[in-house]
Amino acid sequence: MALKKTVSVKIEKKPIVTDDLESLESTQDVFVSKKIVDQVIGQEKAVEVVRKAAAQKRNVLLIGIPGTGKSMIAQGMAEILPVSELKDVLIYPNDADQNNPKVVVVLAGDGKKIVDNARLEANAQDDNLRLISLIFPLAWLLISFVVWRLGWISDIVYAATMIVGVIVLFGFALGSQMRSKGAVVVPKLLVDNLGKKVAPFSEATGARAGALLGDVRHDPLQSGGLGTPAHLRVEPGMIHRASGGVLFI
């Protein structure tokens, strides 16, 4: 008696396909996959190609009339791409050339941490400067008043010290508003992939180069004012937003 070879096969729940609609009690009897790529019907060859392209990180050319599922297949491709390789993009000012900001790429999630830490440090320095600019003039005025009350200086000298104290107070206040913010550099988080569980999917037409390749705002009414640093006026394009995912043009 010949022995039969045993083959282990993993059985997965598949969508119910039947022509006998009366056998279905409700739509709950029909299984629908959570992945978009498994919801595509009638484009098995395209789905197979997309799965291979996602694994090999290749480009895909989908040709067909509207409504055949090109966009749906592209979105499904984004779901099966690995998300562990996503990156964040930071923009820093360039002291050597302000019109060419520096670009720094870090791991996904690290960008927001860097920006938050830089903002905390910048706020701490601003608070310290405001405190010093307030304490020093007030201490000057207080000491002048005490010295005058003790009779160590005349009324004219006391008036002069009070005027100097007020000038110093306004000088500190004006200087804190006009001083450069370059002590602590706070970068702009251009692309943030924090917490993304699925690779990004961006749909672009390519009709405008700035929307696809990114741009730098030059209009003062759109950039926040003439004093806005160049690195804060950089805008990401669809190519940057889709990095590590799918760019559907």
Side-chain angles (χ1 to χ4, degrees), residues 65-94:
I65 62 176
T68 54
K70 299 185 297 296
S71 300
M72 185 177 181
I73 294 174
Q75 292 179 3
M77 183 178 179
E79 289 186 346
I80 58 180
L81 283 171
V83 297
S84 58
E85 299 179 358
L86 295 181
K87 306 290 184 179
D88 290 343
V89 180
L90 297 169
I91 305 296
Y92 285 84
N94 187 358

Side-chain angles (χ1 to χ4, degrees), residues 190-191 193 196 200-202 235-245:
L190 192 71
V191 178
N193 286 316
K196 287 190 176 180
F201 173 82
S202 297
E235 295 296 330
M238 288 298 179
I239 291 179
H240 310 98
R241 296 184 184 277
S243 180

Side-chain angles (χ1 to χ4, degrees), residues 95-150:
D95 296 334
D97 187 356
Q98 296 182 357
N99 294 323
N100 289 293
K102 298 179 180 179
V103 180
V104 177
V105 180
V106 297
L107 294 177
D110 290 347
K112 190 175 186 304
K113 296 178 182 178
I114 294 174
V115 173
D116 291 342
N117 292 335
R119 285 176 178 171
L120 289 175
E121 187 176 353
N123 292 335
Q125 288 194 5
D126 289 341
D127 293 340
N128 293 335
L129 182 62
R130 291 192 187 97
L131 185 61
I132 294 175
S133 64
L134 179 63
I135 291 178
F136 182 79
L138 291 180
W140 174 274
L141 297 175
L142 180 60
I143 293 174
S144 300
F145 176 76
V146 173
V147 172
W148 172 71
R149 291 292 294 177
L150 294 175

Side-chain angles (χ1 to χ4, degrees), residues 42-85:
Q43 298 289 356
E44 289 76 11
K45 184 62 177 179
V47 171
E48 180 183 355
V49 172
V50 162
R51 289 185 182 275
K52 292 181 180 179
Q56 300 175 5
K57 298 181 180 180
R58 294 178 177 272
N59 298 325
V60 179
L61 177 62
L62 300 174
I63 303 175
I65 62 176
T68 54
K70 299 185 297 296
S71 300
M72 185 177 181
I73 294 174
Q75 292 179 3
M77 183 178 179
E79 289 186 346
I80 58 180
L81 283 171
V83 297
S84 58
E85 299 179 358

